[in-house]
Amino acid sequence: MATLGRFDTAPENEVSGQLPLELGHVPAHGEGDFLVGEGNELAYGRVQAFPHWGDPLTLVLGPAKSGKSHLARIFADRSGAHFAEAHEIERLARDGGRQPLVIEDVDRSGYDEAGLFHLLNQAMRDNRAILMTAREDVAQWPLATDDVRSRVRRATAFSMAMSDDIQLSQMFVKLFGDRQIAVDPKIIAYLVARMERSTEEAVILADLMDRLALAKGSAITRSIAADALDRRRAALGAGQHEHDRDEQDDE
């Protein structure tokens, strides 16, 4: 049977030299931890409206680290939804029922197309709520036939995006807060003004600065932020970022 393909999106190693390994931290994924802004408020409102949906299928689109999984967790907490694995799709369709489902990375996780087609048909027939997440619009999915595509296009779709400097700044506050790190708001403003504007890049920068600071045995300073921006620009092939290092910022 045909399956939806996988895309290789693992980031290249952006850091030269030796840095401390990621020690692990637990991101806060409660409803109160979700950062609502102009770029995601419609998708958040859809989850908030459950179970009063006018149709059973919801598709949440957005790049990596945009909050799709966080929103899916909020939906599961509110609805009692089951997170469907690829090997369960056909059985879930066959068993039927109305328990809500979450199908994550539906465009890239190897779901069986025939099983997914049957499950979406069952959901529409029995009014079974399903929340799907994907990075790409359905037109870009690596599907062997148009059967699944035609069903997914029946879903109510929402996009997830960081819409402004305030929301991106709030994301940095949360990322550092998850790591129990206090960072001067001026440093966050410095980052937001100079970084590539994406949620995935914010996650990478927060991790990189944490490791750079740990390697130096210091707090996160503007010098460390500038170093992280330089490393990311070099890794992305954008050349060296010209920054204004003030040694007083390191004290």
Side-chain angles (χ1 to χ4, degrees), residues 67-88:
K68 300 187 301 295
S69 290
H70 191 166
L71 192 62
R73 172 54 59 191
I74 293 171
F75 171 68
D77 289 344
R78 292 177 65 89
S79 67
H82 170 68
F83 282 79
E85 301 290 342
H87 68 274
E88 299 180 290

Side-chain angles (χ1 to χ4, degrees), residues 76-104:
D77 289 344
R78 292 177 65 89
S79 67
H82 170 68
F83 282 79
E85 301 290 342
H87 68 274
E88 299 180 290
I89 295 297
E90 183 64 50
R91 178 186 62 77
L92 289 167
R94 185 174 60 252
D95 292 349
R98 296 189 62 187
Q99 181 187 15
L101 298 173
V102 172
I103 307 177
E104 290 203 272

Side-chain angles (χ1 to χ4, degrees), residues 1-4 84-96 101 103 106 110-123 125 128 130 132 143 145 147-148 151-152:
M1 290 186 181
T3 58
L4 278 71
E85 301 290 342
H87 68 274
E88 299 180 290
I89 295 297
E90 183 64 50
R91 178 186 62 77
L92 289 167
R94 185 174 60 252
D95 292 349
L101 298 173
I103 307 177
V106 69
Y111 293 102
D112 174 68
E113 285 189 41
L116 189 56
F117 175 74
H118 294 150
L119 181 57
L120 296 179
N121 276 343
Q122 185 265 320
R125 181 178 66 248
R128 181 182 203 169
I130 295 182
M132 298 172 282
L143 296 166
T145 72
D147 291 343
V148 172
R151 295 303 180 268
V152 174

Side-chain angles (χ1 to χ4, degrees), residues 10 29 41 71 80 100 163 165 211:
H29 277 168
E41 61 183 350
L71 192 62
S163 58
D165 288 357
R211 289 185 287 135

Side-chain angles (χ1 to χ4, degrees), residues 2-141:
T3 58
L4 278 71
R6 295 175 181 270
F7 300 114
D8 182 9
T9 57
E12 296 181 3
N13 182 7
E14 74 280 358
V15 184
S16 60
Q18 296 295 317
L19 288 176
L21 295 175
E22 170 63 60
L23 298 178
H25 65 283
V26 180
H29 277 168
E31 185 165 346
D33 302 303
F34 189 78
L35 301 176
V36 182
E38 183 180 343
N40 61 23
E41 61 183 350
L42 293 179
Y44 180 72
R46 171 73 165 186
V47 168
Q48 290 283 300
F50 181 86
H52 306 294
W53 288 3
D55 52 273
L57 303 182
T58 298
L59 175 62
V60 178
L61 298 165
K65 310 299 182 182
S66 60
K68 300 187 301 295
S69 290
H70 191 166
L71 192 62
R73 172 54 59 191
I74 293 171
F75 171 68
D77 289 344
R78 292 177 65 89
S79 67
H82 170 68
F83 282 79
E85 301 290 342
H87 68 274
E88 299 180 290
I89 295 297
E90 183 64 50
R91 178 186 62 77
L92 289 167
R94 185 174 60 252
D95 292 349
R98 296 189 62 187
Q99 181 187 15
L101 298 173
V102 172
I103 307 177
E104 290 203 272
D105 296 322
V106 69
D107 58 337
R108 48 187 283 109
S109 292
Y111 293 102
D112 174 68
E113 285 189 41
L116 189 56
F117 175 74
H118 294 150
L119 181 57
L120 296 179
N121 276 343
Q122 185 265 320
M124 290 187 291
R125 181 178 66 248
D126 298 336
N127 199 32
R128 181 182 203 169
I130 295 182
L131 186 146
M132 298 172 282
T133 70
R135 294 188 187 183
E136 302 286 343
D137 183 82
V138 64
Q140 307 302 319
W141 294 7

